[in-house]
Amino acid sequence: MNGLLLLGIAIVILVAAYLLYGRYLVKTWGIDSRAKTPAVRKDDGTDFVPSNKWSVFAHQFSSIAGAGPVTGPVMALVFGWLPAFLWIIVGGIFFGAVQDFGSLYASVKDDGKSMGQIIEDYIGKTGKKLFFLFAWLFTLIVIAAFADMVAGSFNGFNAEGAKVAPNASAGSISILYVFVAIAFGYFLKKVKWEGWKKAVIGIILIVLMLAIGIAFPLYLSKQMWIYLIFIYIFFASVTPMWILKQPRDYLTTFLFIAMIAAAVLGVVLSNPTITTPAYTGFVSSTGSYLFPTLFVTIACGAVSGFHSLVSSETSSKQIENESDMLQVGYGSMLLESLLAVLVIVIVGSLTNLSETGVLNETLSNMALAQGATPFTQFSVGVTGLLSSFGFPQEWGLCIMTMFVSALALTSLDAVARISRMSFQEFFEVTDGSEPTGVIKLLTNKYVATIISLLGGYLLSIGGYNNIWPLFGSANQLLAAMVLITLAVFLKVTGRKGFMLYVPMVLMLIVTMTSLIMSIYNICIKLFVTGGFVFLTDGLQLIVAILLVLLGVMITWGSGKKLIEVKKEA
């Protein structure tokens, strides 16, 4: 398959979806550009911070475009590029973008409330408590998986103990990013620059950070990076949005745009051929089944429950005008789908790029080595495309490693904040009574953050390969529950929600099947084949069982409410 043709088809379809289906949703649900949004009415300078649409778009996209759109599509190529491509396009347009936009819309229309609080309003207090517990458990899985990925990408030493300069430089740049983002945040708070002035300063800072990071690589072990990452996301969780999260997301968005532009340019100039088979069969070479594995392996890029938490927990509290929601909610998801298609084209073409000499021997060995991570394959692929046109290979590897690691790192700081807020809201007293000392302690933002990060760290010990199937299943189950909740919200508020019914039913079937299979496989290790380890398999088994139970209870309550509302209508 011609890679450029496939990319072109994807771009045309996604642009048409934004202009047609996205605007249809706006017209069907209704938007009031004159209404005062929660961010404007409740501006507190910490969580509610009214911002222009490009700043919110930068936050939304950089938060949702984590490791998923790179990792998921690469892992799904075991079934062939065609099933992966079709699910990204169909899922992105009719499942993921609808969920992201719907979550943002419901939160903005309901006073900036989180998804759990919306459940309380329209389904009941029990549903709210269960949802926050589910969301908290899910965020622990995300923290564990993404922290392990980022630490591995920044690891300054290979298996033999030799130094790896691109990784070390990428890590050095990331540390600079934190301190520069804080300084940038204070600068913007003082001068209040927007538009081209803000963009120019941001781009200059990025170029300087890249140059300094490449010149002064930081060689640290993977374990040391794990510690540093958890320290960083602790502060990202508890500091006001404008100090670190907003400026870092803004600066990182330039990286993402540059990465996507570089990948598109490389594909256009090299016109690679996808040599990965179009379809390998219902059962892959690893023994996994197309259903449900494909639909939980490709989460970000098609549909991701995590996105709804970003939309309702953070982005909705920054929307300055309701008319910005289509671009922020629907548009950012379609851009992530485009990134996922780019990954399929580039990684699916690695063999062709190697055979035609686009990848030299060094790059070919890195990309095609057994056990090469999706991050490595994508980074090397784009580097090869650009280096064939004169771009320095070592710089390219460093910058691309930084780019793809930044995808996961920006999701990490968002999910750490969401994890803390979910934990607090689970224990929060809402009946007007005075909270006890224990409740005050647990809802303290520092204590809630420490407990959440400790849970994420324990799960990270098993590595992202062990966690990813559980992450995918939990992520898609969360999406199913959010879609049901949105259907209830739309029905109760007199809006049409029929476009959610098929996605929510399919996601529920897929995820329950996958989670039950995960529980079965872990039990086989425990009782039959051996090799069961509590800190990896045991914790995952406990979390998987809890997710299934919570998912069933939340879905039952939401579904029953939806049926009741439909009968009353």
Side-chain angles (χ1 to χ4, degrees):
M1 176 66 184
N2 182 280
L4 181 57
L5 176 61
L6 189 67
L7 180 61
I9 292 172
I11 291 173
V12 170
I13 294 174
L14 293 173
V15 170
Y18 181 85
L19 296 176
L20 299 175
Y21 195 56
R23 289 179 178 176
Y24 165 77
L25 293 176
V26 170
K27 183 178 180 181
T28 303
W29 293 344
I31 278 180
D32 183 2
S33 60
R34 296 168 299 177
K36 283 191 175 181
T37 63
V40 174
R41 288 186 284 102
K42 303 169 73 172
D43 183 4
D44 60 8
T46 300
D47 291 319
F48 288 88
V49 182
S51 309
N52 71 68
K53 65 181 179 181
W54 291 107
S55 293
V56 189
F57 177 86
H59 163 73
Q60 176 81 6
F61 178 68
S62 62
S63 296
I64 67 174
V70 175
T71 304
V74 174
M75 296 175 72
L77 285 176
V78 295
F79 298 106
W81 64 262
L82 183 58
F85 174 79
L86 291 176
W87 172 230
I88 288 168
I89 295 298
V90 174
I93 294 170
F94 298 106
F95 288 59
V98 174
Q99 179 214 231
D100 295 9
F101 178 45
S103 303
L104 183 67
Y105 177 87
S107 181
V108 170
K109 286 292 189 181
D110 204 0
D111 206 32
K113 292 179 179 177
S114 66
M115 193 53 57
Q117 293 169 325
I118 292 172
I119 287 177
E120 180 180 21
D121 286 349
Y122 297 96
I123 296 171
K125 290 184 178 180
T126 302
K128 169 198 169 184
K129 291 291 186 182
L130 292 174
F131 180 84
F132 278 131
L133 180 56
F134 182 98
W136 182 69
L137 287 171
F138 169 70
T139 58
L140 302 188
I141 300 171
V142 180
I143 290 170
F146 286 14
D148 184 71
M149 288 181 186
V150 174
S153 297
F154 292 163
N155 184 6
F157 305 94
N158 61 21
E160 289 74 36
K163 291 182 177 180
V164 183
N167 292 11
S169 292
S172 179
I173 297 167
S174 293
I175 293 216
L176 282 172
Y177 240 89
V178 175
F179 294 103
V180 169
I182 293 172
F184 191 48
Y186 276 105
F187 174 78
L188 293 176
K189 188 75 171 178
K190 185 175 180 63
V191 303
K192 300 186 184 300
W193 281 3
E194 293 294 342
W196 69 268
K197 292 181 180 178
K198 180 179 177 181
V200 168
I201 294 295
I203 292 171
I204 291 173
L205 289 174
I206 290 170
V207 172
L208 288 174
M209 285 187 287
L210 291 174
I212 294 171
I214 291 172
F216 301 99
L218 186 60
Y219 292 97
L220 296 176
S221 67
K222 178 180 177 181
Q223 192 59 46
M224 183 57 69
W225 277 115
I226 287 280
Y227 296 146
L228 289 176
I229 288 166
F230 275 91
I231 291 171
Y232 162 67
I233 60 177
F234 171 83
F235 287 104
S237 170
V238 299
T239 53
M241 291 286 289
W242 65 268
I243 291 179
L244 175 58
K245 190 77 180 83
Q246 274 192 340
R248 190 187 187 286
D249 287 345
Y250 181 79
L251 292 173
T252 304
T253 300
F254 286 107
L255 286 183
F256 294 162
I257 292 172
M259 180 183 71
I260 293 173
V264 170
L265 179 64
V267 171
V268 170
L269 295 177
S270 298
N271 193 18
T273 300
I274 300 176
T275 49
T276 297
Y279 179 61
T280 61
F282 188 79
V283 182
S284 74
S285 57
T286 60
S288 56
Y289 298 93
L290 179 68
F291 179 89
T293 307
L294 174 73
F295 303 95
V296 296
T297 299
I298 301 180
C300 303
V303 57
S304 168
F306 168 64
H307 296 184
S308 68
L309 301 182
V310 176
S311 293
S312 66
E313 292 276 10
T314 56
S315 294
S316 64
K317 297 173 175 60
Q318 301 176 61
I319 290 290
E320 196 171 38
N321 191 300
E322 286 191 10
S323 62
D324 300 341
M325 289 192 287
L326 177 64
Q327 175 180 312
V328 173
Y330 201 85
S332 61
M333 178 63 221
L334 295 188
L335 185 58
E336 186 178 25
S337 295
L338 176 62
L339 175 57
V341 172
L342 264 173
V343 171
I344 287 178
V345 171
I346 291 172
V347 177
S349 304
L350 286 176
T351 302
N352 171 252
L353 295 176
S354 177
E355 292 173 348
T356 55
V358 173
L359 299 182
N360 60 28
E361 185 177 356
T362 301
L363 294 178
S364 295
N365 290 337
M366 291 178 64
L368 302 177
Q370 186 175 4
T373 65
F375 276 16
T376 299
Q377 291 177 310
F378 181 64
S379 300
V380 169
V382 177
T383 300
L385 291 174
L386 296 180
S387 63
S388 63
F389 297 98
F391 193 80
Q393 177 180 309
E394 189 167 331
W395 286 20
L397 275 175
C398 166
I399 293 172
M400 284 306 304
T401 300
M402 171 59 197
F403 283 7
V404 294
S405 298
L407 288 170
L409 201 56
T410 49
S411 289
L412 262 175
D413 52 33
V415 79
R417 194 179 197 90
I418 292 167
S419 185
R420 181 262 294 177
M421 295 171 74
S422 297
F423 189 87
Q424 288 177 295
E425 289 178 297
F426 176 77
F427 288 102
E428 189 178 42
V429 175
T430 57
D431 59 4
S433 62
E434 182 68 22
T436 64
V438 174
I439 296 300
K440 287 181 178 179
L441 178 66
L442 292 174
T443 54
N444 177 278
K445 68 179 181 179
Y446 301 104
V447 174
T449 300
I450 290 171
I451 293 173
S452 299
L453 297 188
L454 178 60
Y457 175 77
L458 291 175
L459 283 172
S460 73
I461 294 173
Y464 85 90
N465 276 323
N466 289 317
I467 299 170
W468 194 261
L470 185 59
F471 160 74
S473 301
N475 194 24
Q476 306 303 63
L477 180 55
L478 177 60
M481 293 187 298
V482 168
L483 288 166
I484 296 174
T485 301
L486 292 176
V488 174
F489 166 80
L490 293 171
K491 194 68 179 178
V492 170
T493 56
R495 299 175 174 91
K496 295 178 181 179
F498 63 87
M499 67 287 292
L500 304 179
Y501 298 159
V502 172
M504 72 185 188
V505 171
L506 180 58
M507 284 295 94
L508 187 61
I509 294 172
V510 164
T511 51
M512 281 300 177
T513 303
S514 181
L515 277 171
I516 291 171
M517 289 173 65
S518 294
I519 292 171
Y520 172 79
N521 291 332
I522 295 175
C523 288
I524 289 295
K525 290 180 70 174
L526 175 60
F527 298 111
V528 181
T529 61
F532 180 88
V533 179
F534 179 77
L535 276 179
T536 54
D537 302 308
L539 288 178
Q540 290 180 44
L541 178 62
I542 293 170
V543 171
I545 293 172
L546 285 173
L547 290 176
V548 169
L549 294 175
L550 289 170
V552 169
M553 288 188 285
I554 296 168
T555 302
W556 173 260
S558 302
K560 188 168 67 172
K561 182 67 176 181
L562 180 60
I563 293 172
E564 290 173 359
V565 173
K566 286 178 71 68
K567 287 181 179 179
E568 293 170 2

